[in-house]
Amino acid sequence: MVIALRHGTLLRTLHAERPSERIDWTAGHLRLLHEPVDWARHEDGQLESTSNAH
């Protein structure tokens, strides 16, 4: 997580090859990352908040 903050990049999801059937993936913007993704920033340069649920 610290590396993601420093580089503004969300790292790929670890230890999960496919989405869990116990989660409603259509209910929001939740998804597994199969490759690094730029972390969205607000106009003032602040990183948008996110949650890493386990």
Side-chain angles (χ1 to χ4, degrees), residues 24-38:
D24 181 2
W25 295 93
T26 63
H29 299 287
L30 188 63
R31 64 186 169 121
L32 297 179
L33 299 178
H34 298 286
E35 59 189 45
V37 175
D38 286 340

Side-chain angles (χ1 to χ4, degrees), residues 3 5 10 12 18 24 31-33 36 39-40 43 45 50-53:
I3 292 171
L5 286 170
L10 295 171
R12 71 176 184 83
R18 61 180 190 264
D24 181 2
R31 64 186 169 121
L32 297 179
L33 299 178
W39 198 333
E43 290 180 14
T50 186
S51 174
N52 186 3

Side-chain angles (χ1 to χ4, degrees), residues 1-10 37-50:
M1 186 61 121
V2 173
I3 292 171
L5 286 170
R6 288 184 182 156
H7 296 281
T9 302
L10 295 171
V37 175
D38 286 340
W39 198 333
R41 293 183 180 267
H42 292 281
E43 290 180 14
D44 63 4
Q46 293 288 325
L47 293 172
E48 289 187 8
S49 62
T50 186

